[in-house]
Amino acid sequence: QVQLVESGGGLVQAGGSLRLSCAASGDTFSRYNMGWFRQAPGKEREFVAAIRWSDGSTYYTTSVKGRFTISRDNAKNTVYLQMNSLKPEDTAVYYCNPADGAKPLLTSWGQGTQVTVSS
């Protein structure tokens, strides 16, 4: 089983940047595709980005393409999400999870990290 701890969220003005981190432990992290997901108030949790363990290829939901970058450091069991040109609609709690395409692989989640973008 994988344990996940997200960090790096905060309050930022529109146009600003944040870098989120997700530390994973308890399983063979490097063998998982990893994803970032987010949940805005009153909305369903949605896919944001994912990175494959095999070749590091990445994919993103349309609304964040060109602004967000997912990366990973297998030696540190950590996956990152660099978020630039933030918009108020990016406000949400952000979570990481092993990914099966654009779907989370695990039913359990970490505590998430809150990102708030002010206009």
Side-chain angles (χ1 to χ4, degrees), residues 38-45 89:
R38 67 187 179 186
Q39 187 167 20
K43 295 187 177 182
E44 296 289 320
R45 188 148 33 200
E89 51 263 44

Side-chain angles (χ1 to χ4, degrees), residues 28-82:
T28 311
F29 169 81
S30 63
R31 293 297 187 105
Y32 287 105
N33 299 336
M34 290 297 297
W36 282 97
F37 302 81
R38 67 187 179 186
Q39 187 167 20
K43 295 187 177 182
E44 296 289 320
R45 188 148 33 200
E46 65 174 357
F47 168 78
V48 176
I51 184 167
R52 290 180 179 161
W53 75 268
S54 57
D55 60 5
S57 58
T58 59
Y59 45 104
Y60 302 89
T61 193
T62 300
S63 63
V64 308
K65 284 182 181 177
R67 300 188 298 121
F68 290 11
T69 303
I70 187 172
S71 61
R72 67 191 296 165
D73 185 336
N74 288 339
K76 295 182 178 180
N77 283 4
T78 301
V79 62
Y80 305 97
L81 186 68
Q82 177 66 44

Side-chain angles (χ1 to χ4, degrees), residues 3 6 13 24 29 40 46-47 50 66 69 88 90 94 99-100 104-105 115:
Q3 289 80 48
E6 301 91 348
Q13 288 187 331
F29 169 81
E46 65 174 357
F47 168 78
T69 303
D90 295 317
Y94 284 71
D100 178 13
L105 185 62
V115 172

Side-chain angles (χ1 to χ4, degrees), residues 38-41 87-94 114-118:
R38 67 187 179 186
Q39 187 167 20
K87 302 176 181 181
E89 51 263 44
D90 295 317
T91 294
V93 180
Y94 284 71
Q114 175 71 49
V115 172
T116 303
V117 185
S118 63

Side-chain angles (χ1 to χ4, degrees), residues 4-9 20-21 36-38 45 92-96 109-115:
L4 305 163
V5 179
E6 301 91 348
S7 63
L20 307 184
S21 299
W36 282 97
F37 302 81
R38 67 187 179 186
R45 188 148 33 200
V93 180
Y94 284 71
Y95 304 86
C96 63
W109 296 86
Q111 84 288 350
T113 186
Q114 175 71 49
V115 172

